[in-house]
Amino acid sequence: MPFNLDFEESVLAVAKKLRTFAKSESDDALREFARTAIQLDLEFMERSGVSNGEPYDEDAAFSHIKSGLEKKNPRLAWLAEDFSEAWEEYLDCAGYIEWE
């Protein structure tokens, strides 16, 4: 991981936030969705060099996440944008994001 992230804590926090957008989904489904989406973003960060100081390209990251979700969790892929907002909020509140 590109930083000392408590993966399961982040999954729970993001899934809880997604509950507001997907009221009819089970907690298990939202946790699995969040787990998949977070893993996709962490993969993107690793491949694009973010963990080595390269800038984070939000558009490219979103494209990677959405594409991966459409393959791995197509039923909930419509939550990709909501995930991105919840994930950014989590990372910001946890102090993982440095704004320029």
Side-chain angles (χ1 to χ4, degrees), residues 28-60:
D28 287 342
L30 290 175
R31 282 191 299 269
E32 186 56 35
F33 174 85
R35 190 172 284 111
T36 300
I38 291 168
Q39 188 60 48
L40 287 164
D41 195 34
L42 294 174
E43 288 171 8
F44 172 81
M45 286 187 226
E46 190 65 33
R47 284 191 223 159
S48 65
V50 171
S51 58
N52 295 323
E54 292 297 319
Y56 183 79
D57 183 333
E58 289 182 36
D59 293 333

Side-chain angles (χ1 to χ4, degrees), residues 22 24-30 32-33 69-80:
S24 65
E25 296 299 329
S26 72
D27 289 340
D28 287 342
L30 290 175
E32 186 56 35
F33 174 85
L69 288 171
E70 287 170 347
K71 292 175 188 165
K72 296 179 180 189
N73 199 327
R75 190 175 67 76
L76 294 179
W78 62 273
L79 281 170

